[in-house]
Amino acid sequence: MSWKGWLILIVALWLIVSVLIPNIAGSKGANLANFLITGIIFAAVSAMDFKQTKTVAWIILIVGIWLIISSFIPSITGSKTAAMTNGLIMGIINLILSFFMKKSKAS
C-alpha cells in the first residue's frame, strides 16, 4: 500500500475512533453516524489499494466535501465546536489528498 493509502487509513481510523470521544461525538446520534459512516467509507477506499485511482480520488473528494458541509449542519454536529472542527479538518485533509491523487495519476 502506498503512503496515500496509509494516510487515508489513518484518517478512517481517526473518524471511527472519534465517535468514542465524548467531547467530539457527544450524545448526538447523527454526529456519531456521520463520523462512523465516513470512517468506514475511507477504510474501504484504503483497502482498494489504489487500483482505480480516479475513482478513489472522486470518492475521497465527495466524502471530504460532505464532511465540510456536515460540519455546519447543527442537527448533525449538535453545535459542538469539537465536532465542527473535527469535520472541517478531516474534510480539508481529504480535499487536499484527493486533488493530489488526481494530479499524481496524470503524471
Side-chain angles (χ1 to χ4, degrees), residues 12-106:
L13 291 175
W14 170 251
L15 286 168
I16 293 170
V17 169
S18 71
V19 301
L20 302 174
I21 301 171
N23 195 26
I24 292 176
S27 60
K28 201 71 171 159
N31 194 31
L32 294 170
N34 186 32
F35 289 146
L36 190 61
I37 291 170
T38 54
I40 291 170
I41 289 171
F42 285 130
V45 166
S46 71
M48 287 182 180
D49 201 22
F50 300 102
K51 293 178 183 167
Q52 301 173 356
T53 306
K54 280 190 174 187
T55 304
V56 171
W58 277 105
I59 292 170
I60 293 170
L61 176 69
I62 291 167
V63 177
I65 290 170
W66 167 249
L67 280 170
I68 292 172
I69 291 170
S70 69
S71 297
F72 296 103
I73 301 174
S75 61
I76 292 178
T77 61
S79 298
K80 287 189 151 284
T81 306
M84 287 180 66
T85 305
N86 189 40
L88 281 173
I89 291 172
M90 292 297 109
I92 291 168
I93 288 172
N94 290 316
L95 287 178
I96 292 168
L97 184 60
S98 71
F99 287 120
F100 182 74
M101 290 174 59
K102 287 181 187 179
K103 184 177 179 182
S104 66
K105 179 64 176 177

